[in-house]
């Protein structure tokens, strides 16, 4: 069974094959579809530019096709991919990152958001809307130097040492406690520097697709 292009362009829904996240919606005609089949990478037709575009050709954020499914009317494609970077031109992993207010949307968001994303939102709120007595607000009021000092001297070095001790003692509860403290201060530093969680996730995603990184050649961790 083949897609029906008799009416022109058809929508292609792009989904992350590993996480099942919906990454983007674009359009294909028969040529874009055939190029996608031939290259095993996504090709689309831009309705605004009136031209074909190979996803990631410029940015490097290509999408490796894992499978293609066709709906019952043969006019919509569901393409599962292995993304080599964020799908959205904004740097977000998915183009669907804008939250629409409303009871249904909020319920869905609460069910799917990670604790990291929710905590980042709360930290950002403490920065823009200070709360008296809040430790997070205290850090932002003291500025980047205080956050960095707190993170590097008091948390990264001290707490990392305690994580190691807890690991040697096989104390899982203490490992969880100390790692949570470290993660929290990392998120505060990200918010302070204007770095989104999606940017970090995109970097991790990019590294996860690289192979090698032999120890003797390692200068920095780029290839896992």
């Amino acid at each position: 069974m083949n897609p029906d292009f008799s009416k022109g362009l058809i929508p292609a829904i792009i989904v992350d094959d590993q996480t099942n996240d919906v990454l983007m919606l674009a359009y294909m005609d028969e040529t874009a579809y055939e190029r996608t089949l031939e290259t095993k990478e996504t090709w689309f037709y831009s309705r605004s530019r009136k031209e074909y575009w190979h996803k990631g050709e410029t940015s490097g954020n290509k999408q490796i096709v894992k499978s293609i499914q066709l709906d019952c009317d043969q006019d919509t494609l569901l393409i599962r991919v292995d993304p080599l970077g964020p799908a959205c031109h904004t740097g977000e992993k998915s183009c669907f990152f804008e939250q629409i207010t409303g009871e249904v949307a909020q319920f869905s968001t609460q069910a799917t958001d990670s604790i990291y994303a929710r905590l980042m939102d709360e930290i950002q709120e403490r920065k823009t809307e200070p709360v008296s007595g809040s430790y997070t607000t205290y850090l932002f009021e003291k500025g980047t130097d205080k956050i960095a000092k707190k993170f590097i001297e008091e948390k990264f070095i001290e707490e990392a040492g305690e994580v190691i001790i807890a690991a040697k003692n096989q104390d899982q509860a203490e490992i969880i406690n100390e790692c949570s403290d470290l993660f929290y201060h990392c998120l505060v530093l990200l918010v302070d520097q204007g770095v989104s969680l999606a940017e970090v996730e995109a970097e991790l995603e990019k590294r996860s697709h690289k192979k090698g990184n032999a120890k003797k050649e390692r200068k920095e961790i780029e290839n896992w």
Side-chain angles (χ1 to χ4, degrees), residues 132-180:
S132 177
S134 164
Y135 173 67
T136 305
T137 295
Y138 160 76
L139 289 177
F140 285 126
E141 288 177 343
K142 292 299 182 180
T144 300
D145 288 344
K146 180 65 176 179
I147 294 172
K149 182 177 185 296
K150 194 77 175 176
F151 176 71
I152 296 174
E153 295 183 11
E154 299 181 27
K155 294 301 173 185
F156 190 78
I157 296 176
E158 176 186 343
E159 303 294 351
E162 293 182 0
V163 169
I164 294 172
I165 293 173
K168 286 182 175 293
N169 293 333
Q170 297 186 337
D171 188 341
Q172 292 188 354
E174 189 63 14
I175 291 173
I176 293 171
N177 182 57
E178 300 300 342
C179 284
S180 297

Side-chain angles (χ1 to χ4, degrees), residues 39 45 49 61 137 163 182 203 207:
T39 63
Y45 185 81
R49 300 194 303 271
N61 300 326
T137 295
V163 169
L182 280 173
E203 177 63 22
R207 294 185 185 191

Side-chain angles (χ1 to χ4, degrees), residues 70-86:
L70 187 62
D71 78 330
C72 57
D73 293 324
Q74 298 176 252
D75 60 2
T76 302
L77 294 168
L78 177 65
I79 303 179
R80 303 184 70 87
V81 303
D82 186 4
L84 303 186

Side-chain angles (χ1 to χ4, degrees), residues 37-65:
L37 292 178
E38 291 171 3
T39 63
K40 300 295 190 296
E41 296 176 0
T42 52
W43 283 76
F44 307 107
Y45 185 81
S46 172
R47 295 176 298 169
S48 59
R49 300 194 303 271
K50 307 298 182 184
E51 64 182 14
Y52 295 100
W53 58 288
H54 180 195
K55 175 62 178 173
E57 185 174 28
T58 301
S59 66
N61 300 326
K62 294 183 178 181
Q63 297 170 339
I64 309 303
V65 176

